[in-house]
């Protein structure tokens, strides 16, 4: 039973990473559909988000480790990569979706 569960998880992760890498390919190689500031932000943060996600996935600690004893700078140091990564995922996937919708409507 666990072997089947592990295969499903592996297939899901491969699908998600393939989709994210493909959206990065569209982001860098094609004209952006979103406003240029969002495209520029996504192009800057996209490679960093891949490395950051890999580090967070391999770590066994909490995804977002926030403690009440943290200083403000420590809190921002933990929050900013998460916010930037989430925004990059949203912008790159939205750009890919809009790119495909534009290609389908022009066909």
């Amino acid at each position: 039973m666990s072997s089947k569960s592990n295969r499903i998880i592996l297939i899901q992760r491969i699908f998600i990473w393939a989709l994210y890498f493909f959206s990065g390919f569209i982001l860098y190689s094609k004209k952006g559909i979103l406003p240029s500031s969002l495209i520029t932000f996504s192009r800057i943060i996209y490679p960093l988000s891949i490395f950051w996600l890999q580090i967070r996935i391999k770590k066994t600690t909490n995804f977002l480790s926030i403690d009440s004893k943290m200083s403000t700078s420590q809190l921002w140091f933990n929050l900013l990569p998460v916010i930037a990564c989430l925004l990059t995922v949203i912008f790159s996937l939205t750009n890919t979706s809009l790119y495909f919708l534009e290609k389908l409507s022009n066909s």
Side-chain angles (χ1 to χ4, degrees):
M1 190 73 137
S2 68
S3 175
K4 185 178 179 181
S5 175
N6 287 342
R7 267 190 248 140
I8 291 172
I9 290 172
L10 180 65
I11 291 171
Q12 287 174 345
R13 284 188 181 175
I14 288 173
F15 176 74
I16 289 170
W17 279 112
L19 179 65
Y20 194 55
F21 284 135
F22 184 70
S23 68
F25 174 74
I26 297 293
L27 185 69
Y28 282 103
S29 66
K30 307 294 180 190
K31 179 184 162 231
I33 307 299
L34 295 175
S36 63
S37 60
L38 298 179
I39 295 296
T40 304
F41 172 81
S42 298
R43 285 179 179 166
I44 293 170
I45 302 295
Y46 181 83
L48 299 173
S49 69
I50 292 173
F51 293 122
W52 185 84
L53 283 172
Q54 282 296 333
I55 290 169
R56 287 296 182 177
I57 287 172
K58 289 186 178 187
K59 262 188 165 181
T60 57
T61 60
N62 292 338
F63 191 71
L64 184 60
S65 55
I66 296 177
D67 190 4
S68 62
K69 299 173 186 171
M70 294 176 116
S71 67
T72 304
S73 61
Q74 290 172 325
L75 180 65
W76 280 112
F77 183 76
N78 283 326
L79 283 178
L80 285 178
V82 174
I83 293 169
C85 189
L86 288 175
L87 287 175
T88 302
V89 169
I90 291 168
F91 295 154
S92 64
L93 292 176
T94 303
N95 187 52
T96 302
S97 301
L98 292 175
Y99 175 78
F100 281 125
L101 286 175
E102 181 183 349
K103 288 295 179 186
L104 287 174
S105 67
N106 288 340
S107 297

